Amino acid sequence: MQLDEAAPVLAGLSEPIVVAKVNADKYRKLGSKYGVDGFPTLMLFIHGVPIEYTGSRKADQLVRNLKKFVAPDVSILESDTAIKNFVENAGTSFPMFLGFGLNESLITEYGRKYKKRAWFAVAKDFSEDIMVTYDFDKVPALVAIHPKYKEQSVSYGPFEGNFLEDFVRQSLLPLVVPINTETLRMLNDDERKVVLTIVEDDSDGNSTQLVQVLRSAANANRDLVFGYVGIRQWDEFVETFDVSKSSQLPKLLVWDRNEEYELVDGSERLEEGDQASQISQFLEGYRAGRTTKKKVSGPSFMGFLNSLVSMNSLYILIFVIALLAFTVYFAGQDDTPQPRRVHEE
């Protein structure tokens, strides 16, 4: 079992996480106390408060996610060594926010609010070498790092009102988001519209070069999310925008993350050549309102999310139906004579 594999790793952490198993079918009162109605269920007890764990149960991802759960909302770092250790231990799965010369009280609220999605820390003492490493030249500064995508950005404030949260919220996603089942869930918490680029294969060389161009556009248009998806990787999702394998690609559109999307007149696809200029023309046309609105032809954003979330429930339902069918079948094999009317029922 994946939990058995993760248990010794969790127990060996600097802040150990104890794993225990309970047969809630046998100890029903205990299961009922914590609202356990399905198996297996993982409950986290943080300072005695129970929280149901709904993330991945693969051993490596389980360790990664649980380390995040038990970490402080905001870590305080007192030296260059502490900064390096924090970044190393955080790994590459989550973005991180490092405050330099920043009062920790300013980001405590966001460290708590976005704890499941990012690491937060404030460095109290650091050298000029650290400033060079994280590319900031004055304080206070808040550095957002996406190790997985090798991206980094810096905010020098203002650190008040909505400005700080806007920076944190926008930096939770990479500049250009690869659209898949995981990132689609992340978009659920973002209110910005999505500039979606549809390509044939998101892993080929042309797409890699295009993503670099899109990054520049995304950096200058933070009020929008930029994403890309390959029809070869996820044709079911792409087809909702009336794109098939015979369509001319790459194609650009603006998606409201729900049931509508917009095509910019005269800029529906990218031609070979200066794609940066073509993307600029696309964005200019979108902001000028030279668009045609359309409805997605398949599930809405929430429809996709619900279909992803409900797959486990579907498997359980199929299992229950099969179990009932077997029960009814074997009950019908009983040798005790039954009245014909009851047998037919």
Side-chain angles (χ1 to χ4, degrees), residues 21 39 104 144 174-175 220 259 301 310 339:
K21 290 183 179 180
F39 306 105
E104 65 188 272
L175 282 173
E259 298 182 352
F301 173 77
S310 64

Side-chain angles (χ1 to χ4, degrees), residues 253-324:
L253 56 92
V254 179
W255 180 37
D256 71 352
R257 301 180 306 107
N258 199 9
E259 298 182 352
E260 287 188 347
Y261 64 96
E262 296 177 65
L263 299 175
V264 176
D265 301 336
S267 299
E268 293 185 11
R269 66 178 298 266
L270 292 173
E271 306 284 350
E272 293 184 5
D274 187 357
Q275 293 186 328
S277 296
Q278 294 176 57
I279 293 171
S280 295
Q281 291 174 6
F282 171 88
L283 292 170
E284 181 183 345
Y286 167 70
R287 296 193 185 283
R290 297 193 296 270
T291 64
T292 301
K293 289 188 177 182
K294 292 196 172 187
K295 292 280 188 180
V296 296
S297 57
S300 65
F301 173 77
M302 290 308 299
F304 267 108
L305 279 186
N306 290 335
S307 67
L308 296 172
V309 171
S310 64
M311 287 308 295
N312 287 337
S313 301
L314 177 60
Y315 295 144
I316 293 172
L317 179 60
I318 292 172
F319 172 76
V320 171
I321 292 173
L323 183 62
L324 288 173

Side-chain angles (χ1 to χ4, degrees), residues 26-329:
K26 181 178 180 181
Y27 300 100
R28 294 186 179 181
K29 288 186 178 180
L30 185 61
S32 177
K33 178 180 179 180
Y34 296 109
V36 176
D37 55 6
F39 306 105
T41 294
L42 294 181
M43 300 293 294
L44 305 179
F45 291 83
I46 302 177
H47 302 299
V49 179
I51 302 172
E52 183 175 353
Y53 173 80
T54 58
S56 172
R57 298 186 183 185
K58 292 183 179 179
D60 58 339
Q61 295 184 35
L62 185 62
V63 170
R64 177 196 75 181
N65 291 341
L66 293 188
K67 281 173 63 178
K68 187 74 196 71
F69 267 102
V70 300
D73 294 343
V74 180
S75 298
I76 306 302
L77 311 176
E78 302 286 355
S79 65
D80 286 10
T81 301
I83 296 168
K84 292 175 183 177
N85 289 339
F86 174 84
V87 172
E88 182 179 341
N89 292 332
T92 61
S93 299
F94 295 95
M96 63 186 79
F97 294 88
L98 301 178
F100 294 93
L102 191 67
N103 191 318
E104 65 188 272
S105 63
L106 293 175
I107 63 172
T108 297
E109 175 187 351
Y110 309 115
R112 186 182 306 112
K113 184 175 181 179
Y114 298 107
K115 178 172 183 174
K116 294 181 180 180
R117 298 184 57 185
W119 296 94
F120 288 82
V122 170
K124 294 292 188 180
D125 192 14
F126 49 89
S127 68
E128 291 186 2
D129 289 340
I130 288 292
M131 297 179 69
V132 172
T133 298
Y134 295 104
D135 197 24
F136 64 97
D137 54 13
K138 62 181 180 179
V139 292
L142 181 61
V143 179
I145 306 170
H146 261 288
K148 184 175 181 179
Y149 301 97
K150 298 180 180 179
E151 291 182 1
Q152 181 173 305
S153 57
V154 181
S155 172
Y156 295 110
F159 299 110
E160 57 186 14
N162 295 328
F163 296 102
L164 179 56
E165 183 167 17
D166 284 346
F167 176 75
V168 170
R169 183 173 50 81
Q170 292 172 8
S171 301
L172 288 170
L173 293 169
L175 282 173
V176 182
V177 185
I179 302 298
N180 51 48
T181 55
E182 181 181 354
T183 57
L184 195 63
R185 291 189 182 95
M186 294 169 63
L187 286 174
N188 190 34
D189 297 325
D190 200 305
E191 297 178 353
R192 293 174 292 171
K193 291 186 177 182
V194 180
V195 176
L196 183 63
T197 302
I198 301 173
V199 297
E200 182 178 344
D201 184 346
D202 66 17
S203 61
D204 66 17
N206 291 333
S207 296
T208 302
Q209 292 178 6
L210 177 56
V211 169
Q212 295 300 326
V213 178
L214 289 169
R215 279 200 177 102
S216 298
N219 196 39
N221 295 271
R222 291 282 187 155
D223 59 324
L224 297 166
V225 176
F226 284 70
Y228 68 100
V229 61
I231 190 170
R232 181 172 296 180
Q233 281 73 27
W234 199 0
D235 58 346
E236 182 184 6
F237 175 78
V238 170
E239 287 168 359
T240 64
F241 301 102
D242 294 325
V243 174
S244 66
K245 293 180 179 179
S246 61
S247 300
Q248 291 185 319
L249 300 175
K251 182 174 182 176
L252 285 171
L253 56 92
V254 179
W255 180 37
D256 71 352
R257 301 180 306 107
N258 199 9
E259 298 182 352
E260 287 188 347
Y261 64 96
E262 296 177 65
L263 299 175
V264 176
D265 301 336
S267 299
E268 293 185 11
R269 66 178 298 266
L270 292 173
E271 306 284 350
E272 293 184 5
D274 187 357
Q275 293 186 328
S277 296
Q278 294 176 57
I279 293 171
S280 295
Q281 291 174 6
F282 171 88
L283 292 170
E284 181 183 345
Y286 167 70
R287 296 193 185 283
R290 297 193 296 270
T291 64
T292 301
K293 289 188 177 182
K294 292 196 172 187
K295 292 280 188 180
V296 296
S297 57
S300 65
F301 173 77
M302 290 308 299
F304 267 108
L305 279 186
N306 290 335
S307 67
L308 296 172
V309 171
S310 64
M311 287 308 295
N312 287 337
S313 301
L314 177 60
Y315 295 144
I316 293 172
L317 179 60
I318 292 172
F319 172 76
V320 171
I321 292 173
L323 183 62
L324 288 173
F326 275 112
T327 302
V328 171
Y329 172 77

